[in-house]
Short mmCIF file of all heavy atoms in Angstrom, two decimals:
data_model
loop_
_atom_site.label_atom_id
_atom_site.label_comp_id
_atom_site.label_asym_id
_atom_site.label_seq_id
_atom_site.Cartn_x
_atom_site.Cartn_y
_atom_site.Cartn_z
N LYS A 1 -3.89 96.08 27.20
CA LYS A 1 -5.17 96.63 27.23
C LYS A 1 -5.69 96.94 28.64
O LYS A 1 -6.22 97.99 28.95
CB LYS A 1 -6.26 95.82 26.47
CG LYS A 1 -7.54 96.48 26.13
CD LYS A 1 -8.39 95.64 25.29
CE LYS A 1 -9.68 96.37 24.92
NZ LYS A 1 -10.48 95.49 24.00
N THR A 2 -5.56 96.02 29.57
CA THR A 2 -5.87 96.14 30.90
C THR A 2 -4.76 95.46 31.72
O THR A 2 -4.59 94.32 31.63
CB THR A 2 -7.24 95.46 31.28
OG1 THR A 2 -7.17 94.17 30.81
CG2 THR A 2 -8.34 96.16 30.59
N THR A 3 -3.98 96.27 32.48
CA THR A 3 -2.78 95.82 33.16
C THR A 3 -3.17 94.65 34.09
O THR A 3 -2.27 93.72 34.23
CB THR A 3 -2.14 96.96 33.96
OG1 THR A 3 -1.98 98.04 33.14
CG2 THR A 3 -0.84 96.51 34.60
N HIS A 4 -4.26 94.60 34.67
CA HIS A 4 -4.58 93.50 35.57
C HIS A 4 -5.17 92.32 35.04
O HIS A 4 -5.62 91.36 35.74
CB HIS A 4 -5.76 94.11 36.55
CG HIS A 4 -7.04 94.55 36.01
ND1 HIS A 4 -7.24 95.92 35.62
CD2 HIS A 4 -8.08 93.89 35.71
CE1 HIS A 4 -8.42 95.97 35.12
NE2 HIS A 4 -9.03 94.77 35.19
N SER A 5 -5.24 92.10 33.71
CA SER A 5 -5.59 90.82 33.17
C SER A 5 -4.90 90.55 31.79
O SER A 5 -4.57 91.57 31.04
CB SER A 5 -7.10 90.82 32.82
OG SER A 5 -7.50 91.73 31.86
N PHE A 6 -4.58 89.30 31.54
CA PHE A 6 -3.93 88.93 30.28
C PHE A 6 -4.95 88.12 29.47
O PHE A 6 -5.73 87.23 29.97
CB PHE A 6 -2.81 87.89 30.60
CG PHE A 6 -1.50 88.56 30.94
CD1 PHE A 6 -1.34 89.03 32.35
CD2 PHE A 6 -0.48 88.87 30.01
CE1 PHE A 6 -0.20 89.68 32.70
CE2 PHE A 6 0.73 89.50 30.40
CZ PHE A 6 0.82 89.89 31.81
N ASN A 7 -4.99 88.53 28.18
CA ASN A 7 -5.88 87.83 27.23
C ASN A 7 -5.16 87.52 25.99
O ASN A 7 -4.00 88.05 25.76
CB ASN A 7 -7.18 88.72 26.95
CG ASN A 7 -8.16 88.47 27.99
OD1 ASN A 7 -8.87 87.50 27.99
ND2 ASN A 7 -8.45 89.49 28.78
N LEU A 8 -5.76 86.69 25.10
CA LEU A 8 -5.07 86.48 23.76
C LEU A 8 -5.54 87.43 22.75
O LEU A 8 -6.74 87.87 22.73
CB LEU A 8 -5.53 85.03 23.35
CG LEU A 8 -5.26 83.81 24.30
CD1 LEU A 8 -5.63 82.51 23.65
CD2 LEU A 8 -3.69 83.90 24.72
N PHE A 9 -4.52 87.90 21.97
CA PHE A 9 -4.80 88.72 20.85
C PHE A 9 -4.21 88.16 19.58
O PHE A 9 -3.30 87.32 19.69
CB PHE A 9 -4.18 90.05 21.17
CG PHE A 9 -4.80 90.83 22.33
CD1 PHE A 9 -4.46 90.52 23.59
CD2 PHE A 9 -5.70 91.84 22.05
CE1 PHE A 9 -5.00 91.26 24.73
CE2 PHE A 9 -6.27 92.45 23.15
CZ PHE A 9 -5.99 92.21 24.41
N MET A 10 -4.61 88.66 18.47
CA MET A 10 -3.91 88.25 17.17
C MET A 10 -3.55 89.42 16.41
O MET A 10 -4.32 90.49 16.42
CB MET A 10 -4.88 87.30 16.38
CG MET A 10 -4.11 86.57 15.30
SD MET A 10 -5.00 84.96 14.85
CE MET A 10 -6.70 85.64 14.41
N VAL A 11 -2.42 89.38 15.65
CA VAL A 11 -1.97 90.56 14.90
C VAL A 11 -1.28 90.04 13.64
O VAL A 11 -0.76 88.90 13.61
CB VAL A 11 -0.96 91.37 15.74
CG1 VAL A 11 0.35 90.56 15.92
CG2 VAL A 11 -0.62 92.71 15.09
N ASN A 12 -1.36 90.80 12.48
CA ASN A 12 -0.68 90.42 11.33
C ASN A 12 0.83 90.49 11.53
O ASN A 12 1.25 91.21 12.32
CB ASN A 12 -1.09 91.42 10.11
CG ASN A 12 -2.62 91.30 9.80
OD1 ASN A 12 -3.16 90.23 9.91
ND2 ASN A 12 -3.23 92.38 9.44
N ILE A 13 1.55 89.71 10.72
CA ILE A 13 2.94 89.75 10.96
C ILE A 13 3.76 91.09 10.55
O ILE A 13 4.81 91.33 10.89
CB ILE A 13 3.62 88.59 10.31
CG1 ILE A 13 3.49 88.70 8.69
CG2 ILE A 13 3.17 87.30 10.77
CD1 ILE A 13 4.23 87.60 7.88
N ASP A 14 2.98 91.99 9.95
CA ASP A 14 3.53 93.36 9.78
C ASP A 14 3.08 94.33 10.93
O ASP A 14 3.40 95.46 10.79
CB ASP A 14 3.15 93.89 8.42
CG ASP A 14 1.51 94.07 8.30
OD1 ASP A 14 0.82 93.84 9.20
OD2 ASP A 14 1.13 94.48 7.21
N GLY A 15 2.40 93.79 11.94
CA GLY A 15 2.01 94.60 13.09
C GLY A 15 0.69 95.26 12.94
O GLY A 15 0.20 95.90 13.93
N THR A 16 -0.07 95.00 11.86
CA THR A 16 -1.42 95.66 11.70
C THR A 16 -2.52 94.68 12.11
O THR A 16 -2.25 93.47 12.34
CB THR A 16 -1.60 96.10 10.30
OG1 THR A 16 -1.58 94.89 9.41
CG2 THR A 16 -0.46 97.01 9.74
N GLY A 17 -3.67 95.19 12.13
CA GLY A 17 -4.88 94.35 12.30
C GLY A 17 -4.99 93.67 13.68
O GLY A 17 -5.44 92.49 13.83
N LEU A 18 -4.64 94.39 14.79
CA LEU A 18 -4.73 93.71 16.14
C LEU A 18 -6.10 93.44 16.53
O LEU A 18 -7.03 94.21 16.31
CB LEU A 18 -4.14 94.80 17.16
CG LEU A 18 -4.13 94.31 18.58
CD1 LEU A 18 -3.11 93.15 18.85
CD2 LEU A 18 -3.82 95.47 19.55
N GLU A 19 -6.32 92.23 16.97
CA GLU A 19 -7.68 91.77 17.34
C GLU A 19 -7.71 90.92 18.63
O GLU A 19 -6.86 90.18 18.80
CB GLU A 19 -8.17 90.79 16.13
CG GLU A 19 -9.65 90.30 16.41
CD GLU A 19 -10.11 89.25 15.45
OE1 GLU A 19 -9.28 88.92 14.62
OE2 GLU A 19 -11.20 88.81 15.49
N GLN A 20 -8.66 91.25 19.55
CA GLN A 20 -8.73 90.50 20.75
C GLN A 20 -9.41 89.16 20.60
O GLN A 20 -10.42 89.16 19.86
CB GLN A 20 -9.41 91.34 21.80
CG GLN A 20 -9.39 90.76 23.27
CD GLN A 20 -9.83 91.61 24.33
OE1 GLN A 20 -9.88 92.88 24.12
NE2 GLN A 20 -10.10 91.11 25.54
N ILE A 21 -8.92 88.08 21.14
CA ILE A 21 -9.45 86.83 20.88
C ILE A 21 -10.16 86.23 22.11
O ILE A 21 -11.20 85.60 21.99
CB ILE A 21 -8.36 85.74 20.41
CG1 ILE A 21 -7.57 86.35 19.26
CG2 ILE A 21 -8.85 84.37 20.22
CD1 ILE A 21 -8.43 86.38 18.01
N THR A 22 -9.57 86.36 23.29
CA THR A 22 -10.27 85.92 24.50
C THR A 22 -10.54 87.13 25.45
O THR A 22 -9.98 88.25 25.39
CB THR A 22 -9.35 84.90 25.26
OG1 THR A 22 -8.12 85.55 25.77
CG2 THR A 22 -9.04 83.78 24.30
N TYR A 23 -11.49 86.83 26.51
CA TYR A 23 -11.97 87.90 27.34
C TYR A 23 -12.11 87.37 28.71
O TYR A 23 -13.00 87.85 29.55
CB TYR A 23 -13.38 88.31 26.78
CG TYR A 23 -13.24 89.07 25.46
CD1 TYR A 23 -13.20 88.33 24.18
CD2 TYR A 23 -13.25 90.48 25.42
CE1 TYR A 23 -13.12 89.08 23.03
CE2 TYR A 23 -13.22 91.17 24.13
CZ TYR A 23 -13.07 90.43 22.98
OH TYR A 23 -13.05 91.06 21.83
N ASP A 24 -11.18 86.65 29.20
CA ASP A 24 -11.20 86.22 30.59
C ASP A 24 -10.72 87.41 31.49
O ASP A 24 -9.97 88.34 31.09
CB ASP A 24 -10.19 85.12 30.84
CG ASP A 24 -10.34 84.55 32.27
OD1 ASP A 24 -11.44 84.00 32.57
OD2 ASP A 24 -9.26 84.43 33.00
N ALA A 25 -11.25 87.44 32.81
CA ALA A 25 -11.00 88.58 33.66
C ALA A 25 -9.53 88.49 34.30
O ALA A 25 -9.13 89.55 34.86
CB ALA A 25 -11.98 88.50 34.81
N VAL A 26 -8.86 87.34 34.20
CA VAL A 26 -7.52 87.24 34.82
C VAL A 26 -6.48 86.80 33.88
O VAL A 26 -5.54 87.58 33.66
CB VAL A 26 -7.69 86.21 36.01
CG1 VAL A 26 -6.37 86.15 36.74
CG2 VAL A 26 -8.78 86.64 37.05
N PHE A 27 -6.50 85.61 33.37
CA PHE A 27 -5.31 85.16 32.63
C PHE A 27 -5.63 84.12 31.53
O PHE A 27 -6.14 83.06 31.74
CB PHE A 27 -4.38 84.43 33.73
CG PHE A 27 -3.11 83.87 33.19
CD1 PHE A 27 -1.93 84.62 32.95
CD2 PHE A 27 -3.01 82.46 32.94
CE1 PHE A 27 -0.83 84.07 32.43
CE2 PHE A 27 -1.86 81.93 32.49
CZ PHE A 27 -0.78 82.76 32.11
N ASP A 28 -5.25 84.48 30.34
CA ASP A 28 -5.24 83.49 29.20
C ASP A 28 -3.94 83.63 28.52
O ASP A 28 -3.41 84.73 28.31
CB ASP A 28 -6.34 83.88 28.16
CG ASP A 28 -7.73 83.54 28.63
OD1 ASP A 28 -7.92 82.63 29.49
OD2 ASP A 28 -8.65 84.25 28.23
N ALA A 29 -3.18 82.44 28.24
CA ALA A 29 -1.80 82.56 27.66
C ALA A 29 -1.47 81.22 27.06
O ALA A 29 -2.31 80.25 27.08
CB ALA A 29 -0.78 82.90 28.70
N PHE A 30 -0.29 81.14 26.52
CA PHE A 30 0.33 79.85 26.01
C PHE A 30 -0.61 79.28 24.85
O PHE A 30 -0.89 78.15 24.89
CB PHE A 30 0.58 78.81 27.04
CG PHE A 30 1.45 79.32 28.23
CD1 PHE A 30 0.96 79.44 29.48
CD2 PHE A 30 2.70 79.73 27.90
CE1 PHE A 30 1.79 79.91 30.47
CE2 PHE A 30 3.61 80.08 28.94
CZ PHE A 30 2.99 80.27 30.30
N PRO A 31 -1.04 80.07 23.91
CA PRO A 31 -1.80 79.51 22.78
C PRO A 31 -0.95 78.74 21.82
O PRO A 31 0.11 79.15 21.53
CB PRO A 31 -2.51 80.70 22.14
CG PRO A 31 -1.33 81.85 22.40
CD PRO A 31 -0.68 81.54 23.69
N MET A 32 -1.47 77.62 21.29
CA MET A 32 -0.86 76.95 20.22
C MET A 32 -1.85 76.26 19.37
O MET A 32 -2.79 75.60 19.69
CB MET A 32 0.12 75.92 20.75
CG MET A 32 0.90 75.10 19.63
SD MET A 32 1.62 73.63 20.19
CE MET A 32 2.52 73.19 18.67
N PHE A 33 -1.81 76.55 18.04
CA PHE A 33 -2.69 75.92 17.14
C PHE A 33 -2.25 74.49 16.81
O PHE A 33 -1.01 74.25 16.75
CB PHE A 33 -2.65 76.71 15.68
CG PHE A 33 -3.39 78.04 15.73
CD1 PHE A 33 -2.75 79.17 15.94
CD2 PHE A 33 -4.81 77.98 15.62
CE1 PHE A 33 -3.40 80.30 15.98
CE2 PHE A 33 -5.45 79.20 15.70
CZ PHE A 33 -4.79 80.42 15.79
N SER A 34 -3.15 73.52 16.64
CA SER A 34 -2.75 72.20 16.26
C SER A 34 -2.20 72.33 14.85
O SER A 34 -2.46 73.16 14.02
CB SER A 34 -4.08 71.29 16.31
OG SER A 34 -5.09 71.85 15.34
N PRO A 35 -1.27 71.26 14.55
CA PRO A 35 -0.63 71.28 13.17
C PRO A 35 -1.66 71.40 11.99
O PRO A 35 -1.30 71.91 11.02
CB PRO A 35 0.13 69.99 13.17
CG PRO A 35 0.50 69.77 14.63
CD PRO A 35 -0.76 70.27 15.40
#
């Protein structure tokens, strides 16, 4: 979305329904849900 920043997004496993989750100005990554 913006080359100069990484954020978290979510998408359906068929590739539809893309949604932005985080909005940091630089870097968000390595997400993991608890079991």
Side-chain angles (χ1 to χ4, degrees):
K1 192 172 182 179
T2 54
T3 305
H4 59 268
S5 65
F6 281 81
N7 275 289
L8 301 184
F9 294 81
M10 196 155 58
V11 67
N12 296 326
I13 59 173
D14 64 1
T16 64
L18 183 68
E19 178 184 8
Q20 187 166 347
I21 303 299
T22 65
Y23 290 83
D24 187 59
V26 182
F27 179 81
D28 290 329
F30 305 114
M32 182 190 183
F33 288 101
S34 58

